[in-house]
Amino acid sequence: MRNKVQLIGHVGQEPEIKTIESGKKVAKFSLATNENYTNNKGEKVEQTEWHRLTAWGKTAEIIEKYVTKGKEIAIEGKLTHRSYDDKNGEKRYVTDVVVSELLLIGK
């Protein structure tokens, strides 16, 4: 089995693009995916999930040029997990999707 994630959704905010010391670019942004279903009362429900995404190199350069808030995209990547201590000393856990493939869907 491989660590593989595929998502289709809308970009939540303008991607944050940085250039690191080596000259390589990194893009960080969020993606909203929606699921529609009918609950046990017969009501239609739309549930939105937010995903943190990180892209490197050429993929980050493409994101910098073409991806904006609200744009519909499809991505493929892998899940990564990390933890850090916040300013109050509490341990926080973060799950990111590291993007390896990108498809621009929306207009």
Side-chain angles (χ1 to χ4, degrees):
M1 302 280 307
R2 293 182 2 183
N3 179 355
K4 183 176 178 180
V5 176
Q6 295 176 323
L7 298 169
I8 298 174
H10 290 88
V11 176
Q13 86 268 2
E14 292 298 323
E16 177 186 331
I17 310 294
K18 292 184 180 178
T19 304
I20 59 175
E21 287 181 26
S22 67
K24 188 183 241 186
K25 292 202 176 195
V26 60
K28 293 186 178 273
F29 60 106
S30 63
L31 188 73
T33 56
N34 296 313
E35 180 180 356
N36 297 304
Y37 64 92
T38 303
N39 66 16
N40 58 2
K41 296 178 183 175
E43 303 164 329
K44 294 198 183 261
V45 178
E46 180 177 28
Q47 182 176 348
T48 301
E49 294 287 337
W50 288 94
H51 311 276
R52 296 168 52 109
L53 285 79
T54 303
W56 295 89
K58 292 270 188 205
T59 306
E61 292 173 19
I62 292 167
I63 290 166
E64 181 178 35
K65 284 184 178 180
Y66 301 108
V67 175
T68 57
K69 179 180 178 179
K71 180 99 172 138
E72 187 177 21
I73 63 171
I75 64 95
E76 184 174 297
K78 66 179 182 176
L79 288 177
T80 60
H81 305 282
R82 61 186 170 88
S83 64
Y84 66 94
D85 293 327
D86 68 11
K87 62 184 176 183
N88 298 324
E90 293 183 42
K91 188 160 288 286
R92 300 287 180 186
Y93 297 92
V94 179
T95 300
D96 284 314
V97 177
V98 177
V99 178
S100 58
E101 301 286 332
L102 170 72
L103 178 63
L104 304 172
I105 297 175
K107 296 178 184 176

